[in-house]
Amino acid sequence: MEEQGLHIETHPREGDPLLRAGRPDPCIMVLFGATGDLAQRKLFPALFELARQDLLPRNFAIVAFSRSEQDLEKFRAQVKEGLRKFARTQPLDEAIWERLASKLEMMSGGYDDPEAYVRLREHLDRVGERFGTQGNQLYYLATPASTFPSLLKGLSESGLLYRENPETKRPWRRLVIEKPFGRDLATAKELNRALSTVLDERQIFRIDHYLGKETVQNILVFRFANAIFEPLWNRQHIDHVEITAAESIGVEGRGRFYDETGVIRDMVQNHLLQVLALCAMEPPISFAAEDIRDEKNKVFRALRPMQGGEVAKYVAQGQYRGYREEQGVSKDSKTPTYVALKMYIDTWRWQGVPFYVRAGKGLSKRVTEVSIHYKAVPHCLFSTSDTCQRLQPNVLNLRIQPHEGIGLSFESKVPGEDINIAGVTMDFDYSKSFQKPVPEAYERLMLDCMRGNTTLFARQDSVEQAWAWVTPIIEALDSGKGGEMHTYEQGSAGPDAATALMARDGRRWTVLKW
């Protein structure tokens, strides 16, 4: 890749992959909430792309379960229309669509109707026989969390879901649930308790689409496959770390849901703490799923709690102007659409290094990234203090979206007789450099569910540890003890209080760009 004087070469290693993904098992995917927004925008486009790349199991079928009576052909037409809008590869390949549509079945019934699950079991027996899926079933709950208890009860009492026993050879059962995994620590524990009464933890896939992003997965490879970075990945060399998830859009018709959720539940408790854990974890003893998840959980356990008045000191919240006029939003809403936090991880590696996390809607750019800010040079060799003040510390930027890639900034001499110093950024663009499109997160995550690979999914203990840290912050903000709600203009970088949070430490946020 050559662009504006920059030349980047990639050298794929010959031989077998370090980890071979393998083809997923034959199975039926039972999709609850198949007519919903998530299914139309994300799930069916992901399944279509997997079919286009011939990555789905050879013996595979989808059974869409709907609470409302639906005609199969009309439903298939609805899915096709959604693919024309949201599929990654356009125009739609008709032959691939016909092949996928032939595997798409449907039935309807009430979530709290025991007879519906009996009919579902009989339907799945017929579909399994026709498609040769060997009895394996993957249940995907793309539904509101309020429906989980009814669905779990119906599926388990009808014998569709059961706890797997390694000593008894039976077709596998797996369950995928979408966030939010509870609203606070108490409800997360209650949900996990309900899940554990029916299934073993290895059968539960709590899906967080951020973990399916290629560039999030690349954090592990970047850290642990490059000897030049990991020795510098600690408190002795790093001044601070920034994690940003900025969205330029508002609530986009999801006002009622968002007003009950807020930015901390929607973004921080799950997505951003998961990214933080990948950046802060210790090297695992292997790339096996549980070894990685063990190290991530240690990070959540090491998060320093915010006590009493510390929330007002270390957290800034905001709401974009016009949010209360959005459809479905309360006219006196106190729900934050922006939050900035200063947090610490009390481990040997990170003691004293602040992690600044920010997330918000209605901002100037859409960007998710991690910025590792290294310490300034310990002694200035140049003649004037003015020159020394112009020197900027090195920054390593891991871009998760958009324009996925990695940037590294350093200081360099400008050509000429005088010694002038300029900042330089070396930039690596993920898709351009490898000349391959970056797959959507749901494509990878769906395959991993079918393979039984839990690496990229949240484990029970990690979910509860994250909620244990976040819940007191939410409670302090809700009670008014966590500081005032600041307003900010749409299209800005967020409230001034977030700028002040960094400025008090003599630092400033990275400018939102891309």
Side-chain angles (χ1 to χ4, degrees), residues 12-21:
R13 301 287 178 247
E14 294 183 5
D16 290 338
L18 298 175
L19 290 171
R20 189 176 291 281

Side-chain angles (χ1 to χ4, degrees), residues 30-64:
V30 184
L31 181 55
F32 291 91
T35 57
D37 189 62
L38 174 67
Q40 299 299 310
R41 285 175 175 269
K42 296 293 183 183
L43 305 188
F44 284 118
L47 287 166
F48 177 81
E49 188 62 30
L50 294 175
R52 192 186 70 80
Q53 297 178 65
D54 193 29
L55 292 174
L56 288 173
R58 296 272 181 256
N59 301 89
F60 179 70
I62 310 158
V63 173

Side-chain angles (χ1 to χ4, degrees), residues 469-491:
W469 185 79
V470 161
T471 298
I473 297 172
I474 294 175
E475 289 174 347
L477 294 174
D478 287 348
S479 68
K481 295 176 183 175
E484 63 180 292
M485 177 72 71
H486 302 273
T487 57
Y488 62 97
E489 296 295 335
Q490 291 192 63

Side-chain angles (χ1 to χ4, degrees), residues 148-179:
F148 292 173
S150 298
L151 289 167
L152 279 173
K153 183 172 184 283
L155 290 169
S156 60
E157 289 184 352
S158 63
L160 286 167
L161 274 184
Y162 50 74
R163 187 184 304 277
E164 291 177 13
N165 183 347
E167 296 174 6
T168 309
K169 189 67 177 170
R170 299 169 79 183
W172 57 251
R173 297 287 187 270
R174 293 173 192 150
L175 180 76
V176 185
I177 59 172
E178 285 277 347
K179 74 172 187 73

Side-chain angles (χ1 to χ4, degrees), residues 42 54 58-59 74 120 129 183 221 247 281 389 394 417 491 494:
K42 296 293 183 183
D54 193 29
R58 296 272 181 256
N59 301 89
K74 283 185 180 175
L120 176 60
E129 195 171 326
R183 281 186 54 79
V221 175
E247 297 178 88
M281 64 186 265
Q389 287 174 2
N394 305 115
E417 293 296 317

Side-chain angles (χ1 to χ4, degrees), residues 41-286:
R41 285 175 175 269
K42 296 293 183 183
L43 305 188
F44 284 118
L47 287 166
F48 177 81
E49 188 62 30
L50 294 175
R52 192 186 70 80
Q53 297 178 65
D54 193 29
L55 292 174
L56 288 173
R58 296 272 181 256
N59 301 89
F60 179 70
I62 310 158
V63 173
F65 191 100
S66 171
R67 282 189 286 195
S68 56
E69 198 72 42
Q70 294 273 349
D71 175 78
L72 178 58
E73 290 311 313
K74 283 185 180 175
F75 176 68
R76 285 175 175 169
Q78 178 186 337
V79 172
K80 186 178 183 181
E81 188 58 35
L83 291 175
R84 285 204 177 103
K85 288 182 191 172
F86 304 117
R88 179 159 67 86
T89 308
Q90 298 287 356
L92 213 60
D93 186 315
E94 288 291 335
I96 301 297
W97 161 246
E98 290 300 327
R99 198 165 77 217
L100 184 64
S102 70
K103 298 176 183 293
L104 180 57
E105 300 284 324
M106 188 167 204
M107 70 161 290
S108 59
Y111 290 170
D112 54 0
D113 177 10
E115 286 301 312
Y117 297 95
V118 174
R119 293 198 310 275
L120 176 60
R121 189 178 65 221
E122 293 167 351
H123 186 60
L124 291 178
D125 287 343
R126 292 192 297 270
V127 171
E129 195 171 326
R130 182 148 53 99
F131 289 95
T133 57
Q134 301 175 19
N136 297 325
Q137 293 167 11
L138 174 68
Y139 292 88
Y140 199 123
L141 309 190
T143 58
S146 58
T147 65
F148 292 173
S150 298
L151 289 167
L152 279 173
K153 183 172 184 283
L155 290 169
S156 60
E157 289 184 352
S158 63
L160 286 167
L161 274 184
Y162 50 74
R163 187 184 304 277
E164 291 177 13
N165 183 347
E167 296 174 6
T168 309
K169 189 67 177 170
R170 299 169 79 183
W172 57 251
R173 297 287 187 270
R174 293 173 192 150
L175 180 76
V176 185
I177 59 172
E178 285 277 347
K179 74 172 187 73
F181 315 124
R183 281 186 54 79
D184 51 26
L185 180 58
T187 54
K189 283 184 171 180
E190 187 180 331
L191 172 59
N192 284 331
R193 215 169 17 246
L195 290 167
S196 64
T197 58
V198 177
L199 301 169
D200 186 79
E201 180 64 23
R202 292 169 302 171
Q203 298 172 261
I204 302 165
F205 291 75
R206 297 173 188 81
I207 201 162
D208 182 337
H209 71 272
Y210 260 55
L211 291 181
K213 293 179 182 294
E214 281 282 331
T215 38
V216 171
Q217 298 168 51
N218 190 43
I219 292 172
L220 287 179
V221 175
F222 181 81
R223 283 188 61 189
F224 302 131
N226 294 293
I228 65 170
F229 293 109
E230 188 57 23
L232 308 179
W233 209 268
N234 55 54
R235 59 188 166 81
Q236 284 154 337
H237 299 280
I238 292 174
D239 179 76
H240 68 283
V241 178
E242 270 183 73
I243 301 177
T244 296
E247 297 178 88
S248 55
I249 59 171
V251 293
E252 298 288 288
R254 297 166 68 237
R256 188 176 304 281
F257 162 78
Y258 197 85
D259 208 39
E260 294 173 357
T261 306
V263 68
I264 300 178
R265 291 187 178 95
D266 190 45
M267 292 297 296
V268 176
Q269 184 275 332
N270 38 72
H271 302 328
L272 297 192
L273 287 188
Q274 290 288 340
V275 172
L276 178 143
L278 290 173
C279 293
M281 64 186 265
E282 294 300 315
I285 59 172
S286 81

Side-chain angles (χ1 to χ4, degrees), residues 359-376:
K361 288 187 173 291
L363 300 175
S364 58
K365 298 287 182 188
R366 171 181 174 260
V367 58
T368 302
E369 63 185 11
V370 178
S371 298
I372 313 291
H373 294 255
Y374 287 91
K375 290 185 176 180

